[in-house]
Amino acid sequence: MSSEQSAYTSSQTKQQRVLACVLCQQRKVKCDRNFPCANCTKSQAKCVPATLLPRRRRRRFAERELLDQLRNYEHLLRQHNIDFEPLRKDSPSTKESPDEPQDEHGVAEVSSPSSNLKSKPIPEVKSFWHAVRCRFGSDDESDDYVDDFAQTVGRAMDKVYVNDGSLILGLRQIPVDLSPLHPEPAQILRLWQLFVDNVNPLLRVVHTPTVQGYVIEAVASTKSMKPITEALMFSIYATGIFSLSEEDCLSVFGTQKDELMVKYQFGCQQALANCGVLRTSDRDCLTAFYLYLISFNHTTDPRALSSISAIAIRIAQRMKLDKDSPDGDYSVLEAEMRRRLWWALVLFDLHISQVAGEKNKTLMPTFTCRIPLNVNDAELRPEMKDEPLAHDQPTEAIYAVVRSAIGDHMRHTVFNLAYNAPELAPFARVRDGPSPEGGELMELERLIEHKYLRFCNPENPLHFVATWEARTNIAKCRLMEDYSIQAKSSPADSYGRLDNAVVHSIRMLECDTQLMASPLIKGFRWMLYFNFPFPAYIHLVKCLEKSPRSEHAERAWRALNANFLAWDISHFHKNGTFFTQVCKMVLGAWSYRETALIQAGEMIVPPPCVGRILELLSISQDVDPRDGGSDWMTDGVAGGGGEGMDDLYHMMPLGFENNSFPLGQGGSDLYADFANVAPVDAGLDSNMNRLDWAASTIDWGVGQRTTW
DNA sequence: TGTATCGGACAGTCAAACGG
DNA sequence: CGTTTGACTGTCCGATACAT
């Protein structure tokens, strides 16, 4: 075509295609492609050369939808014994789905089921309203009668049920004006910067370029803020403060951290109630709820937090965050942020349920949301039509991507399902051939190291934390896997595996020490405090008690010592119970070694951590009234091989004094200041926080209760 | 009569599907 | 891995509407 040919400066160089100017395109008239062109010159308009639009992804499988429909009708005809000429003569009724596995159009495909699972896929019923439309005649998208009705029902629910928030966010009659709770404009910017520096690099649930706009609005005025924006802002304030140490908070804001936390958490809670978080379909609203929960992590009983986290997961499922939506349902930016939020929620839920000692039913092979893309926020723009290419090199999202990749692998492993959902074992990703030494996680380790970590710069704080936390987590997984294998084998078989678990525990501590001892991670400590390597401590202490002079004892003690000192566990002194128990565990193991060394006539040189523990314990005895006096050494846990500890839910690193706050009933005087209500007697909760290990037992035999 | 608007035919491009 | 298919983008003719 001549006009098309003229659109190129040369027929040989297609790259240099010259498009008609914007005005001519708009007017649908021939453009001479001089700039300014004749048309623009004539009409004295500004001649703007047009640019080529990025090509949209082609819609896939359109004909397959028709085939599916045809098969469905053929199936109905067969069911009713009606003669017909089938689409394919060679496809008898026994083989109705020759194209298995089916794609997302009409047939639910469970993500990566095992190859040995040959059950027939079940057609997905998208929703009741969709089913109604299918049944009563029209699959036509333009049949909006049913859709209208569905929306009407939704709107009616909005009007009828006005008090949804009171379920967990406290009873109240009127929305509270929250503008007095916002910080000063300068502090808003400071909190935003803290969030951007310390929180978002790890969570990546906030698209910085977009939310920056909200922040600027908030700086201008906090009076007429939309409820969802307000909730998001308060969640940003709360997590920003949460990421600071108490000393830094005091020096930067001139106020105690606890005081600011309670203030912004209360603001966030009220704002969430204002925007009806329990019935929301808004991603920003759920993001605010997630950040709100994050801000409670250190101070709330994990069992309570686990229940609330389940609510967030349910909201996310209602919003279909767990499904990777087909192209076109959401913009590229929105789809990516939905993926990031889903994975953040899943990993938070996993963490909380592990700490609470519960089985986790979220990190399962049954959801289809893929992991976030390894891209920078600036590469995700609202107007984008095509997904940006994921980088090989680390980006701003590296930490979130690596964690999600580990989670994605984990959810398909046999040992994860054995721990959490044995009934889903057929969906494990079983590889062919015998399992090599290292089990299901060798592949994961190779993938993570090769695909993500090898490009990380150890001097970049985000890369550093992504690298060493990934390695710590993989070591933890391998320890868990080892326990899972051990649980299935006889005691005689499992004895030889003891060394594997020791190796994984030592590796876990060594990687964790790399993290905790580094000055690079200062801004990210808040996140790392979530992950005290307690399983490794328990395993090593137990092994060191049984074999105080074994082959690995020296290395284990070096690892324990370095990790204990790196954590500077006295930091948690005010949450004394946990701290005391960890100290007593280590001390107990040392006493076994001391005795063994004396019997062997060897010289005794206690590791520095033992001296530090004795020093800390002597200080703590007068200070911490909550220490129930349970003795690791004398209560039968250390010495009594067979006894077990059923309740490992108390293995959290920090105290939980404020555990009812997320439910809208503050346990603090500070809450009363803001809410103008009488505080609940905090004393009621104090017993909940006791780490009464004396009454606990640990089942070392099979380990099925030791979920971490 | 001149000018602007816009439906729609047509051509080119290229990702997905196909087939050997 | 080359070929085919067809969804998508870009071009601009010509019918029509509207202003002068």
Side-chain angles (χ1 to χ4, degrees):
Chain A
M1 179 183 124
S2 64
S3 61
E4 267 297 286
Q5 277 167 3
S6 70
Y8 298 94
T9 52
S10 150
S11 59
Q12 302 299 317
T13 55
K14 288 198 169 186
Q15 296 90 331
Q16 294 178 6
R17 181 179 180 190
V18 181
L19 302 182
C21 76
V22 172
L23 196 68
C24 289
Q25 278 189 344
Q26 200 182 350
R27 286 179 171 169
K28 297 192 178 182
V29 290
K30 186 168 172 61
C31 180
D32 61 14
R33 290 180 171 77
N34 295 314
F35 298 101
C37 70
N39 288 324
C40 289
T41 310
K42 199 170 164 187
S43 59
Q44 295 183 321
K46 190 178 177 192
C47 189
V48 181
T51 49
L52 211 58
L53 270 178
R55 183 167 282 258
R56 257 201 317 204
R57 196 178 280 256
R58 267 174 57 187
R59 190 158 180 247
R60 297 167 64 185
F61 306 129
E63 77 283 9
R64 288 199 180 183
E65 284 178 6
L66 290 172
L67 284 172
D68 284 343
Q69 252 179 320
L70 198 53
R71 276 192 211 103
N72 189 27
Y73 294 138
E74 288 187 356
H75 176 70
L76 288 170
L77 290 168
R78 240 176 248 119
Q79 260 188 346
H80 293 88
N81 297 321
I82 299 169
D83 277 343
F84 68 99
E85 190 149 325
L87 176 68
R88 284 169 63 166
K89 303 262 186 203
D90 58 341
S91 59
S93 57
T94 50
K95 192 190 172 195
E96 281 162 20
S97 304
D99 292 332
E100 282 178 359
Q102 299 272 346
D103 64 306
E104 67 270 23
H105 300 291
V107 175
E109 183 187 39
V110 176
S111 165
S112 304
S114 136
S115 55
N116 56 4
L117 187 81
K118 295 291 182 199
S119 63
K120 196 176 161 188
I122 302 163
E124 179 182 7
V125 180
K126 287 177 184 167
S127 71
F128 171 72
W129 299 112
H130 182 260
V132 169
R133 196 164 58 185
C134 292
R135 175 153 185 176
F136 292 98
S138 176
D139 251 352
D140 183 0
E141 292 297 322
S142 66
D143 175 19
D144 43 30
Y145 163 73
V146 171
D147 287 341
D148 283 352
F149 198 74
Q151 283 170 15
T152 306
V153 170
R155 279 195 297 271
M157 283 197 275
D158 286 346
K159 284 185 181 165
V160 172
Y161 306 112
V162 288
N163 284 328
D164 62 318
S166 63
L167 269 178
I168 62 160
L169 297 169
L171 283 167
R172 54 186 197 150
Q173 296 304 312
I174 49 164
V176 182
D177 175 24
L178 299 173
S179 55
L181 288 181
H182 283 277
E184 294 295 308
Q187 291 201 346
I188 292 179
L189 288 174
R190 202 170 281 168
L191 286 164
W192 169 242
Q193 198 56 50
L194 276 173
F195 181 83
V196 168
D197 291 343
N198 298 347
V199 182
N200 211 33
L202 304 187
L203 305 181
R204 220 69 253 166
V205 289
V206 162
H207 184 243
T208 325
T210 308
V211 176
Q212 190 137 21
Y214 304 162
V215 175
I216 290 163
E217 280 173 32
V219 168
S221 168
T222 54
K223 287 280 178 198
S224 55
M225 220 178 239
K226 286 184 205 147
I228 290 175
T229 311
E230 190 155 53
L232 194 59
M233 289 307 298
F234 273 111
S235 70
I236 287 168
Y237 306 153
T239 45
I241 293 291
F242 180 60
S243 73
L244 286 178
S245 69
E246 283 169 19
E247 301 76 39
D248 286 349
C249 183
L250 199 57
S251 71
V252 175
F253 293 96
T255 313
Q256 293 288 343
K257 181 177 173 179
D258 287 350
E259 193 179 324
L260 288 178
M261 282 301 300
V262 172
K263 180 178 171 181
Y264 297 139
Q265 284 172 333
F266 175 69
C268 190
Q269 180 206 90
Q270 293 301 305
L272 285 168
N274 287 347
C275 54
V277 64
L278 294 185
R279 55 183 175 181
T280 190
S281 297
D282 187 285
R283 180 180 50 79
D284 278 341
C285 186
L286 184 57
T287 303
F289 190 40
Y290 164 68
L291 293 174
Y292 174 69
L293 296 185
I294 287 278
S295 80
F296 277 100
N297 201 358
H298 292 173
T299 55
T300 302
D301 188 319
R303 291 165 299 177
L305 209 47
S306 162
S307 304
I308 306 291
S309 162
I311 292 174
I313 292 286
R314 173 62 75 90
I315 296 170
Q317 286 169 335
R318 180 161 42 73
M319 290 166 61
K320 299 194 171 69
L321 258 60
D322 57 331
K323 292 182 169 27
D324 224 28
S325 309
D327 292 340
D329 278 11
Y330 299 97
S331 70
V332 168
L333 169 63
E334 181 61 20
E336 180 60 15
M337 295 312 294
R338 285 167 61 90
R339 278 192 284 272
R340 288 181 178 182
L341 181 57
W342 171 253
W343 275 99
L345 283 166
V346 166
L347 296 172
F348 178 72
D349 191 66
L350 175 73
H351 165 74
I352 291 299
S353 51
Q354 285 178 344
V355 175
E358 297 162 355
K359 287 177 183 291
N360 182 274
K361 300 281 184 186
T362 309
L363 191 73
M364 291 287 117
T366 43
F367 65 79
T368 56
C369 178
R370 60 192 158 98
I371 64 169
L373 291 171
N374 184 26
V375 293
N376 295 306
D377 275 11
E379 294 165 81
L380 294 165
R381 293 184 303 277
E383 75 280 5
M384 282 177 91
K385 291 183 175 171
D386 280 337
E387 204 170 71
L389 276 180
H391 292 262
D392 292 332
Q393 300 286 330
T395 65
E396 291 169 345
I398 186 69
Y399 181 88
V401 169
V402 170
R403 290 179 81 214
S404 307
I406 293 175
D408 198 32
H409 188 95
M410 275 272 290
R411 71 194 179 108
H412 294 108
T413 58
V414 173
F415 83 89
N416 175 51
L417 294 171
Y419 270 108
N420 295 308
E423 68 277 11
L424 290 181
F427 290 91
R429 197 180 271 158
V430 181
R431 283 168 302 140
D432 296 333
S435 174
E437 191 60 35
E440 296 171 288
L441 295 164
M442 281 296 273
E443 189 189 334
L444 171 66
E445 196 162 8
R446 267 196 299 273
L447 170 85
I448 298 294
E449 290 285 346
H450 181 263
K451 189 168 178 189
Y452 300 108
L453 303 188
R454 73 187 167 124
F455 297 115
C456 283
N457 172 7
E459 287 173 12
N460 176 311
L462 185 63
H463 297 188
F464 182 83
V465 78
T467 302
W468 287 102
E469 201 192 289
R471 288 173 182 161
T472 308
N473 274 333
I474 291 171
K476 185 171 93 173
C477 291
R478 297 188 73 170
L479 179 60
M480 287 170 66
E481 184 189 38
D482 203 82
Y483 266 88
S484 147
I485 295 168
Q486 195 183 350
K488 283 180 252 167
S489 53
S490 69
D493 297 337
S494 63
Y495 190 76
R497 300 196 61 85
L498 207 59
D499 282 353
N500 274 345
V502 169
V503 169
H504 300 325
S505 300
I506 291 173
R507 169 78 177 159
M508 188 179 169
L509 287 189
E510 287 173 345
C511 294
D512 186 67
T513 305
Q514 287 281 339
L515 267 180
M516 296 307 291
S518 169
L520 285 175
I521 54 118
K522 187 168 185 284
F524 302 144
R525 275 187 184 269
W526 65 273
M527 182 72 157
L528 304 177
Y529 285 154
F530 287 9
N531 299 322
F532 184 74
F534 199 58
Y537 269 76
I538 288 195
H539 187 82
L540 288 185
V541 161
K542 198 68 199 166
C543 291
L544 287 169
E545 284 167 357
K546 279 192 179 217
S547 319
R549 295 180 64 238
S550 68
E551 190 187 338
H552 290 303
E554 286 289 338
R555 195 179 154 204
W557 270 110
R558 273 201 299 278
L560 269 176
N561 177 64
N563 191 263
F564 189 92
L565 297 176
W567 267 80
D568 187 18
I569 208 160
S570 63
H571 178 83
F572 304 123
H573 181 254
K574 70 172 189 166
N575 305 293
T577 337
F578 178 83
F579 143 77
T580 308
Q581 296 298 346
V582 171
C583 289
K584 284 180 176 175
M585 275 167 61
V586 177
L587 221 49
W590 174 250
S591 77
Y592 276 87
R593 181 164 171 85
E594 205 171 29
T595 309
L597 290 174
I598 289 170
Q599 283 170 357
E602 290 182 27
M603 201 167 68
I604 301 165
V605 185
C609 70
V610 170
R612 178 75 177 139
I613 288 171
L614 291 170
E615 183 191 329
L616 291 171
L617 284 178
S618 69
I619 300 167
S620 77
Q621 268 174 356
D622 303 328
V623 187
D624 189 359
R626 291 174 304 169
D627 183 359
S630 62
D631 194 327
W632 179 260
M633 286 299 294
T634 57
D635 288 341
V637 178
E643 288 92 351
M645 179 166 62
D646 265 347
D647 299 314
L648 264 179
Y649 57 74
H650 283 141
M651 55 196 243
M652 64 294 284
L654 301 169
F656 307 96
E657 288 141 14
N658 200 12
N659 63 357
S660 59
F661 193 82
L663 301 181
Q665 300 295 321
S668 157
D669 291 341
L670 289 162
Y671 178 92
D673 291 343
F674 299 119
N676 200 20
V677 294
V680 176
D681 181 6
L684 286 172
D685 291 332
S686 61
N687 286 338
M688 300 279 285
N689 297 329
R690 290 173 60 111
L691 265 171
D692 190 2
W693 288 17
S696 322
T697 52
I698 185 163
D699 184 352
W700 291 97
V702 288
Q704 66 266 44
R705 286 297 307 274
T706 52
T707 45
W708 45 60

